[in-house]
Amino acid sequence: MLAISRQRILGQCFQKIRPAVSELRSYSSAAKQITVREALNSSLDEEMSADPKVFLMGEEVGEYQGAYKITKGLLEKYGPERVLDTPITEAGFTGIGVGAAYYGLKPVVEFMTFNFSMQAIDHIINSAAKSNYMSAGQISVPIVFRGPNGAAAGVGAQHSQCYAAWYASCPGLKVLSPYNSEDARGLLKAAIRDPDPVVFLENELLYGESFPVSDEVLDSSFSLPIGKAKIEREGNDVTITAFSKMVGYALKAAEILEKDGINAEVINLRSIRPLDRSTINASVRKTNRLITVEEGFPQHGVGAEICSSVVEESFAYLDAPVERIAGADVPMPYAANLERMAVPQVEDIVRAAKRACYRSVPLAATA
Amino acid sequence: MALSYLRSSSSRSANLLKPLSSGLSLRSPISTDTTPITVETSVPFTSHRCDAPSRSVETNPKELLTFFRDMALMRRMEIAADSLYKAKLIRGFCHLYDGQEAFAVGMEAAITKKDCIITAYRDHCTFMGRGGTLLEVFAELMGRQAGCSKGKGGSMHFYKKDSNFYGGHGIVGAQVPLGCGLAFAQKYSKDETVTFAMYGDGAANQGQLFEALNISALWDLPAILVCENNHYGMGTAEWRAAKSPAYYKRGDYVPGLKVDGMDALAVKQACKFAKEHALKSGPIILEMDTYRYHGHSMSDPGSTYRTRDEISGVRQERDPIERIRKLILSHDLASEKELKDIEKEVRKEVDDAITRAKESPMPEPSKLFTNVYAKGLGVESFGADRKEVRATLP
């Protein structure tokens, strides 16, 4: 308690030094709350305003104001030459986006969900990701592919897959996945400014969630570094890595674990490729235990890569096997109870953390 | 593709004082002569939803000689590549363009280096047409540092961004939407230039082509889709792959023109027409009736799905270089010997370039890790054994 009040006093001192705008705010350091949707929309707006080469294309991004309203108001502001409604032809319009990037424009291509990106995946991988390498640096591809990724609610098998592992395995791509509004703003801006192809994996269920943001985050020059994870919650007993929606679940799991005396460190990956191996390994060297959490299919997933990295770099520091929480190894079912079983829940993360901490399950010889 | 040997000062009278090759009369040197000549194309154009351009093409001795030399160079280059491949100095895929040269030179005559070109994997001659050098071609084919992609691309991945040549693509049909994207960017930037997106009769059935064409027509993009119809998609004849092999009509609502692709002047006329159309009215399809003498690639003899008679027949009747040679001779623009001398020169140029290319070293091992990203952010990348080989991407 003492620590908290000390922080408030310090905060007040800083308020006085900061410019006039902040003086009218309350003494808490992050006054404003914005939704992830607002964060993405404002980032697109600011980057389009700053650079005339940035343009948007995708299904319903213009007149419909965006299937999930992420691009709301942008057609009115920037006109139909810069906000382009496409027909339902992912292979065609993605190829067109990549070609425009070859010429030097900066397209932001929206997939209504990343499930539809599979129709265009050849352009993402073969036309975009590999071009800078094949041309020995002549053809760079400053494009962003963005849209909702992973499970929504009740949308069934064909509309629920997480593509993080697939895209992150490919050299030449950068793959980012925001959790909160600060992530959404900082990472999307960084993605648009980056000269390489970036796959930007959002989450439909997070669009409406509000998070506090500081003035710095709201500034139009704000951006976050690509390739750096964030320690959302510090801890000493077990490391939990997660990205996107699962960060929220991991934080909830950490609160529950705290009551049982387990102090969890939650890492928000933010960047799936490049993966911040040094932050993850430094954390595991401190806590000696690791849980990886992801929504996607378990086999060959993001958690598998993280586990490998830790085994390679920090084996001696592990006091327990790495635990992996992932989506169920089945296509996403529709029935609500089955769907709940197919996606990680907070209790799954808690259970895995306890296993890692207590080794309560006796080791049985395999047949 | 400069005529470095024969070209002299721009003044015609000054040239007359220079010694000419033996046995010649006092006619003007053809290398600088731009006196217009009108030639009829071999066959008339066939059009779809547009008015075909005239069969009468304006050219001049300088242009005809440039066509001859450039095509002879391309021909020799491809044949030399064949030998290098058989000598195992070129590995992997090698798709040769000999027979199709008229398109590469005819198109260049109608456009500028500010117009964009994108093609598939049969790209060596297209690259040369954009101003690439023989050394860059042979070195790239052999995977050497002096290659246009520094040895990292190979036969299918030649690029020359400074002349707006965007490759060099291995996935059949992918280059068409990419080309429409280039056209989009040209229109967005208000450059008043066009893009030629080339594809073959095999790629002409690809869905993404029609997706891109639909968008190009909706958005009025200055995109010219060129089907280089050499009548065989790898080993499959066009009638076995396409319900409708009238590729110039396949655009439906998009106008099209069918052209004798072995006639460089017809190609030039068609490309000029297409560029004007695209800038004013949006996309257009050109179908080039052409032929490749080699098989699909070096691993295909090219004679299991077509007869040797057919191949030699085309060579006899329609060879693009022979057509220009006959034109030059019939208009008395040069002698047979002069043309043979050009061919000898070209042969020597090719041989010299191969020698220089062989001297170029293979890329340094550190180059394995360069250009993965334009901005590597200092991240780590790994070799096969990451405990042995790691690199930081700049």
Side-chain angles (χ1 to χ4, degrees), chain B residues 92-123:
Chain B
F93 293 126
C94 189
H95 306 86
L96 300 176
Y97 200 74
D98 50 313
Q100 301 185 211
E101 300 91 346
F103 180 69
V105 303
M107 170 179 57
E108 291 294 346
I111 64 176
T112 73
K113 294 293 188 288
K114 290 206 169 6
D115 295 307
C116 300
I117 299 179
I118 193 167
T119 187
Y121 42 76
R122 205 176 298 280
D123 60 349

mmCIF file of all heavy atoms in Angstrom, chain B residues 92-123:
data_model
loop_
_atom_site.group_PDB
_atom_site.id
_atom_site.type_symbol
_atom_site.label_atom_id
_atom_site.label_comp_id
_atom_site.label_asym_id
_atom_site.label_seq_id
_atom_site.Cartn_x
_atom_site.Cartn_y
_atom_site.Cartn_z
ATOM 1 N N GLY B 92 18.842 -26.686 -61.830
ATOM 2 C CA GLY B 92 17.435 -26.438 -61.532
ATOM 3 C C GLY B 92 16.630 -26.242 -62.802
ATOM 4 O O GLY B 92 16.695 -27.036 -63.716
ATOM 5 N N PHE B 93 15.855 -25.176 -62.802
ATOM 6 C CA PHE B 93 14.986 -24.920 -63.953
ATOM 7 C C PHE B 93 15.633 -23.938 -64.917
ATOM 8 O O PHE B 93 16.323 -23.012 -64.510
ATOM 9 C CB PHE B 93 13.648 -24.331 -63.487
ATOM 10 C CG PHE B 93 12.830 -25.300 -62.689
ATOM 11 C CD1 PHE B 93 12.367 -24.956 -61.432
ATOM 12 C CD2 PHE B 93 12.523 -26.556 -63.192
ATOM 13 C CE1 PHE B 93 11.598 -25.844 -60.693
ATOM 14 C CE2 PHE B 93 11.767 -27.448 -62.457
ATOM 15 C CZ PHE B 93 11.300 -27.092 -61.201
ATOM 16 N N CYS B 94 15.378 -24.140 -66.216
ATOM 17 C CA CYS B 94 15.868 -23.210 -67.226
ATOM 18 C C CYS B 94 14.853 -23.239 -68.357
ATOM 19 O O CYS B 94 14.753 -24.230 -69.094
ATOM 20 C CB CYS B 94 17.254 -23.640 -67.694
ATOM 21 S SG CYS B 94 18.049 -22.425 -68.739
ATOM 22 N N HIS B 95 14.075 -22.169 -68.485
ATOM 23 C CA HIS B 95 13.013 -22.109 -69.485
ATOM 24 C C HIS B 95 13.441 -21.152 -70.582
ATOM 25 O O HIS B 95 13.628 -19.964 -70.330
ATOM 26 C CB HIS B 95 11.715 -21.599 -68.852
ATOM 27 C CG HIS B 95 11.290 -22.370 -67.646
ATOM 28 N ND1 HIS B 95 11.746 -22.094 -66.380
ATOM 29 C CD2 HIS B 95 10.439 -23.428 -67.522
ATOM 30 C CE1 HIS B 95 11.194 -22.938 -65.522
ATOM 31 N NE2 HIS B 95 10.405 -23.752 -66.181
ATOM 32 N N LEU B 96 13.603 -21.670 -71.792
ATOM 33 C CA LEU B 96 14.196 -20.867 -72.867
ATOM 34 C C LEU B 96 13.156 -20.262 -73.793
ATOM 35 O O LEU B 96 12.091 -20.839 -74.035
ATOM 36 C CB LEU B 96 15.201 -21.717 -73.644
ATOM 37 C CG LEU B 96 16.347 -22.229 -72.746
ATOM 38 C CD1 LEU B 96 17.262 -23.148 -73.546
ATOM 39 C CD2 LEU B 96 17.146 -21.066 -72.166
ATOM 40 N N TYR B 97 13.524 -19.121 -74.323
ATOM 41 C CA TYR B 97 12.583 -18.251 -75.044
ATOM 42 C C TYR B 97 12.813 -18.245 -76.553
ATOM 43 O O TYR B 97 12.124 -17.533 -77.279
ATOM 44 C CB TYR B 97 12.790 -16.834 -74.485
ATOM 45 C CG TYR B 97 11.702 -15.815 -74.683
ATOM 46 C CD1 TYR B 97 10.518 -15.856 -73.944
ATOM 47 C CD2 TYR B 97 11.887 -14.744 -75.567
ATOM 48 C CE1 TYR B 97 9.541 -14.875 -74.079
ATOM 49 C CE2 TYR B 97 10.906 -13.752 -75.709
ATOM 50 C CZ TYR B 97 9.746 -13.818 -74.953
ATOM 51 O OH TYR B 97 8.790 -12.837 -75.080
ATOM 52 N N ASP B 98 13.776 -19.056 -77.046
ATOM 53 C CA ASP B 98 14.104 -18.933 -78.471
ATOM 54 C C ASP B 98 12.902 -19.316 -79.328
ATOM 55 O O ASP B 98 12.263 -20.338 -79.127
ATOM 56 C CB ASP B 98 15.343 -19.756 -78.842
ATOM 57 C CG ASP B 98 15.291 -21.184 -78.366
ATOM 58 O OD1 ASP B 98 14.957 -21.418 -77.189
ATOM 59 O OD2 ASP B 98 15.574 -22.087 -79.174
ATOM 60 N N GLY B 99 12.625 -18.452 -80.274
ATOM 61 C CA GLY B 99 11.430 -18.526 -81.119
ATOM 62 C C GLY B 99 10.478 -17.390 -80.783
ATOM 63 O O GLY B 99 9.757 -16.898 -81.653
ATOM 64 N N GLN B 100 10.505 -16.965 -79.520
ATOM 65 C CA GLN B 100 9.542 -15.952 -79.079
ATOM 66 C C GLN B 100 10.116 -14.534 -79.031
ATOM 67 O O GLN B 100 9.440 -13.609 -78.576
ATOM 68 C CB GLN B 100 8.988 -16.318 -77.691
ATOM 69 C CG GLN B 100 8.299 -17.669 -77.641
ATOM 70 C CD GLN B 100 7.644 -17.989 -76.287
ATOM 71 O OE1 GLN B 100 7.554 -19.131 -75.882
ATOM 72 N NE2 GLN B 100 7.164 -16.974 -75.583
ATOM 73 N N GLU B 101 11.337 -14.388 -79.541
ATOM 74 C CA GLU B 101 12.041 -13.108 -79.379
ATOM 75 C C GLU B 101 11.297 -11.885 -79.901
ATOM 76 O O GLU B 101 11.485 -10.778 -79.403
ATOM 77 C CB GLU B 101 13.411 -13.145 -80.083
ATOM 78 C CG GLU B 101 14.372 -14.190 -79.598
ATOM 79 C CD GLU B 101 14.251 -15.508 -80.361
ATOM 80 O OE1 GLU B 101 13.247 -15.682 -81.086
ATOM 81 O OE2 GLU B 101 15.146 -16.350 -80.236
ATOM 82 N N ALA B 102 10.484 -12.081 -80.952
ATOM 83 C CA ALA B 102 9.837 -10.922 -81.578
ATOM 84 C C ALA B 102 8.986 -10.151 -80.586
ATOM 85 O O ALA B 102 8.855 -8.929 -80.685
ATOM 86 C CB ALA B 102 8.967 -11.369 -82.755
ATOM 87 N N PHE B 103 8.414 -10.874 -79.609
ATOM 88 C CA PHE B 103 7.580 -10.153 -78.658
ATOM 89 C C PHE B 103 8.422 -9.236 -77.778
ATOM 90 O O PHE B 103 8.069 -8.065 -77.564
ATOM 91 C CB PHE B 103 6.729 -11.090 -77.783
ATOM 92 C CG PHE B 103 5.900 -10.302 -76.818
ATOM 93 C CD1 PHE B 103 4.842 -9.523 -77.279
ATOM 94 C CD2 PHE B 103 6.238 -10.213 -75.483
ATOM 95 C CE1 PHE B 103 4.112 -8.711 -76.432
ATOM 96 C CE2 PHE B 103 5.524 -9.407 -74.616
ATOM 97 C CZ PHE B 103 4.460 -8.650 -75.089
ATOM 98 N N ALA B 104 9.511 -9.750 -77.266
ATOM 99 C CA ALA B 104 10.343 -8.930 -76.376
ATOM 100 C C ALA B 104 10.807 -7.656 -77.069
ATOM 101 O O ALA B 104 10.746 -6.569 -76.494
ATOM 102 C CB ALA B 104 11.526 -9.740 -75.876
ATOM 103 N N VAL B 105 11.258 -7.765 -78.331
ATOM 104 C CA VAL B 105 11.781 -6.567 -78.991
ATOM 105 C C VAL B 105 10.669 -5.663 -79.505
ATOM 106 O O VAL B 105 10.773 -4.432 -79.441
ATOM 107 C CB VAL B 105 12.791 -6.909 -80.126
ATOM 108 C CG1 VAL B 105 13.939 -7.734 -79.598
ATOM 109 C CG2 VAL B 105 12.125 -7.573 -81.281
ATOM 110 N N GLY B 106 9.593 -6.249 -80.003
ATOM 111 C CA GLY B 106 8.491 -5.440 -80.532
ATOM 112 C C GLY B 106 7.848 -4.604 -79.438
ATOM 113 O O GLY B 106 7.534 -3.423 -79.631
ATOM 114 N N MET B 107 7.674 -5.203 -78.267
ATOM 115 C CA MET B 107 7.063 -4.478 -77.152
ATOM 116 C C MET B 107 7.939 -3.307 -76.729
ATOM 117 O O MET B 107 7.468 -2.192 -76.545
ATOM 118 C CB MET B 107 6.847 -5.434 -75.976
ATOM 119 C CG MET B 107 6.442 -4.744 -74.683
ATOM 120 S SD MET B 107 6.153 -5.868 -73.309
ATOM 121 C CE MET B 107 7.670 -6.748 -73.172
ATOM 122 N N GLU B 108 9.245 -3.569 -76.583
ATOM 123 C CA GLU B 108 10.144 -2.489 -76.157
ATOM 124 C C GLU B 108 10.116 -1.324 -77.120
ATOM 125 O O GLU B 108 10.229 -0.170 -76.713
ATOM 126 C CB GLU B 108 11.585 -3.007 -76.003
ATOM 127 C CG GLU B 108 11.796 -3.957 -74.837
ATOM 128 C CD GLU B 108 11.618 -3.309 -73.468
ATOM 129 O OE1 GLU B 108 11.590 -2.060 -73.382
ATOM 130 O OE2 GLU B 108 11.477 -4.045 -72.480
ATOM 131 N N ALA B 109 9.921 -1.626 -78.427
ATOM 132 C CA ALA B 109 9.913 -0.545 -79.421
ATOM 133 C C ALA B 109 8.695 0.359 -79.255
ATOM 134 O O ALA B 109 8.703 1.498 -79.733
ATOM 135 C CB ALA B 109 9.928 -1.134 -80.829
ATOM 136 N N ALA B 110 7.674 -0.127 -78.589
ATOM 137 C CA ALA B 110 6.436 0.652 -78.480
ATOM 138 C C ALA B 110 6.315 1.405 -77.163
ATOM 139 O O ALA B 110 5.410 2.216 -77.000
ATOM 140 C CB ALA B 110 5.236 -0.278 -78.623
ATOM 141 N N ILE B 111 7.203 1.096 -76.203
ATOM 142 C CA ILE B 111 7.010 1.646 -74.850
ATOM 143 C C ILE B 111 8.288 2.297 -74.333
ATOM 144 O O ILE B 111 9.279 2.384 -75.055
ATOM 145 C CB ILE B 111 6.548 0.541 -73.876
ATOM 146 C CG1 ILE B 111 7.621 -0.542 -73.711
ATOM 147 C CG2 ILE B 111 5.244 -0.069 -74.361
ATOM 148 C CD1 ILE B 111 7.268 -1.611 -72.686
ATOM 149 N N THR B 112 8.253 2.774 -73.091
ATOM 150 C CA THR B 112 9.447 3.355 -72.472
ATOM 151 C C THR B 112 9.823 2.543 -71.236
ATOM 152 O O THR B 112 9.056 1.691 -70.799
ATOM 153 C CB THR B 112 9.185 4.804 -72.010
ATOM 154 O OG1 THR B 112 8.351 4.762 -70.841
ATOM 155 C CG2 THR B 112 8.513 5.614 -73.102
ATOM 156 N N LYS B 113 10.957 2.884 -70.660
ATOM 157 C CA LYS B 113 11.385 2.179 -69.449
ATOM 158 C C LYS B 113 10.577 2.613 -68.234
ATOM 159 O O LYS B 113 10.728 2.060 -67.144
ATOM 160 C CB LYS B 113 12.875 2.407 -69.184
ATOM 161 C CG LYS B 113 13.804 1.802 -70.228
ATOM 162 C CD LYS B 113 13.768 0.264 -70.228
ATOM 163 C CE LYS B 113 14.821 -0.349 -71.105
ATOM 164 N NZ LYS B 113 14.550 -0.183 -72.566
ATOM 165 N N LYS B 114 9.694 3.574 -68.403
ATOM 166 C CA LYS B 114 8.828 3.963 -67.300
ATOM 167 C C LYS B 114 7.571 3.092 -67.275
ATOM 168 O O LYS B 114 6.881 3.017 -66.255
ATOM 169 C CB LYS B 114 8.434 5.438 -67.409
ATOM 170 C CG LYS B 114 9.594 6.366 -67.139
ATOM 171 C CD LYS B 114 9.085 7.705 -66.632
ATOM 172 C CE LYS B 114 10.100 8.676 -66.076
ATOM 173 N NZ LYS B 114 11.486 8.403 -66.145
ATOM 174 N N ASP B 115 7.268 2.452 -68.393
ATOM 175 C CA ASP B 115 6.192 1.468 -68.378
ATOM 176 C C ASP B 115 6.732 0.233 -67.666
ATOM 177 O O ASP B 115 7.919 -0.047 -67.710
ATOM 178 C CB ASP B 115 5.773 1.131 -69.818
ATOM 179 C CG ASP B 115 5.170 2.331 -70.528
ATOM 180 O OD1 ASP B 115 4.237 2.937 -69.977
ATOM 181 O OD2 ASP B 115 5.656 2.684 -71.623
ATOM 182 N N CYS B 116 5.831 -0.510 -67.029
ATOM 183 C CA CYS B 116 6.279 -1.670 -66.259
ATOM 184 C C CYS B 116 6.053 -2.956 -67.030
ATOM 185 O O CYS B 116 5.099 -3.070 -67.808
ATOM 186 C CB CYS B 116 5.492 -1.786 -64.946
ATOM 187 S SG CYS B 116 5.670 -0.372 -63.873
ATOM 188 N N ILE B 117 6.931 -3.910 -66.786
ATOM 189 C CA ILE B 117 6.736 -5.245 -67.363
ATOM 190 C C ILE B 117 6.860 -6.262 -66.234
ATOM 191 O O ILE B 117 7.738 -6.146 -65.368
ATOM 192 C CB ILE B 117 7.793 -5.561 -68.440
ATOM 193 C CG1 ILE B 117 7.695 -4.566 -69.594
ATOM 194 C CG2 ILE B 117 7.623 -6.986 -68.977
ATOM 195 C CD1 ILE B 117 8.728 -4.793 -70.680
ATOM 196 N N ILE B 118 5.988 -7.257 -66.271
ATOM 197 C CA ILE B 118 6.124 -8.376 -65.350
ATOM 198 C C ILE B 118 5.804 -9.644 -66.131
ATOM 199 O O ILE B 118 4.914 -9.639 -66.988
ATOM 200 C CB ILE B 118 5.216 -8.206 -64.103
ATOM 201 C CG1 ILE B 118 5.599 -9.207 -63.009
ATOM 202 C CG2 ILE B 118 3.739 -8.340 -64.454
ATOM 203 C CD1 ILE B 118 4.956 -8.893 -61.657
ATOM 204 N N THR B 119 6.561 -10.689 -65.880
ATOM 205 C CA THR B 119 6.332 -11.915 -66.624
ATOM 206 C C THR B 119 6.523 -13.118 -65.697
ATOM 207 O O THR B 119 6.708 -12.972 -64.494
ATOM 208 C CB THR B 119 7.263 -11.977 -67.854
ATOM 209 O OG1 THR B 119 6.907 -13.108 -68.646
ATOM 210 C CG2 THR B 119 8.722 -12.109 -67.447
ATOM 211 N N ALA B 120 6.451 -14.313 -66.296
ATOM 212 C CA ALA B 120 6.597 -15.538 -65.514
ATOM 213 C C ALA B 120 8.070 -15.952 -65.518
ATOM 214 O O ALA B 120 8.943 -15.122 -65.445
ATOM 215 C CB ALA B 120 5.700 -16.616 -66.069
ATOM 216 N N TYR B 121 8.341 -17.217 -65.692
ATOM 217 C CA TYR B 121 9.693 -17.728 -65.511
ATOM 218 C C TYR B 121 10.504 -17.772 -66.784
ATOM 219 O O TYR B 121 11.696 -18.013 -66.752
ATOM 220 C CB TYR B 121 9.620 -19.131 -64.891
ATOM 221 C CG TYR B 121 8.529 -19.946 -65.519
ATOM 222 C CD1 TYR B 121 8.697 -20.509 -66.783
ATOM 223 C CD2 TYR B 121 7.308 -20.101 -64.889
ATOM 224 C CE1 TYR B 121 7.685 -21.208 -67.394
ATOM 225 C CE2 TYR B 121 6.276 -20.806 -65.486
ATOM 226 C CZ TYR B 121 6.475 -21.363 -66.743
ATOM 227 O OH TYR B 121 5.456 -22.051 -67.338
ATOM 228 N N ARG B 122 9.874 -17.543 -67.933
ATOM 229 C CA ARG B 122 10.597 -17.577 -69.205
ATOM 230 C C ARG B 122 11.072 -16.153 -69.480
ATOM 231 O O ARG B 122 10.650 -15.498 -70.427
ATOM 232 C CB ARG B 122 9.683 -18.097 -70.330
ATOM 233 C CG ARG B 122 10.418 -18.730 -71.494
ATOM 234 C CD ARG B 122 9.439 -19.311 -72.523
ATOM 235 N NE ARG B 122 8.606 -20.381 -71.994
ATOM 236 C CZ ARG B 122 8.993 -21.646 -71.847
ATOM 237 N NH1 ARG B 122 10.192 -22.012 -72.225
ATOM 238 N NH2 ARG B 122 8.168 -22.538 -71.333
ATOM 239 N N ASP B 123 11.958 -15.682 -68.607
ATOM 240 C CA ASP B 123 12.199 -14.250 -68.484
ATOM 241 C C ASP B 123 13.555 -13.736 -68.947
ATOM 242 O O ASP B 123 13.808 -12.531 -68.840
ATOM 243 C CB ASP B 123 11.993 -13.845 -67.010
ATOM 244 C CG ASP B 123 12.947 -14.575 -66.063
ATOM 245 O OD1 ASP B 123 13.622 -15.535 -66.481
ATOM 246 O OD2 ASP B 123 13.004 -14.171 -64.878
#
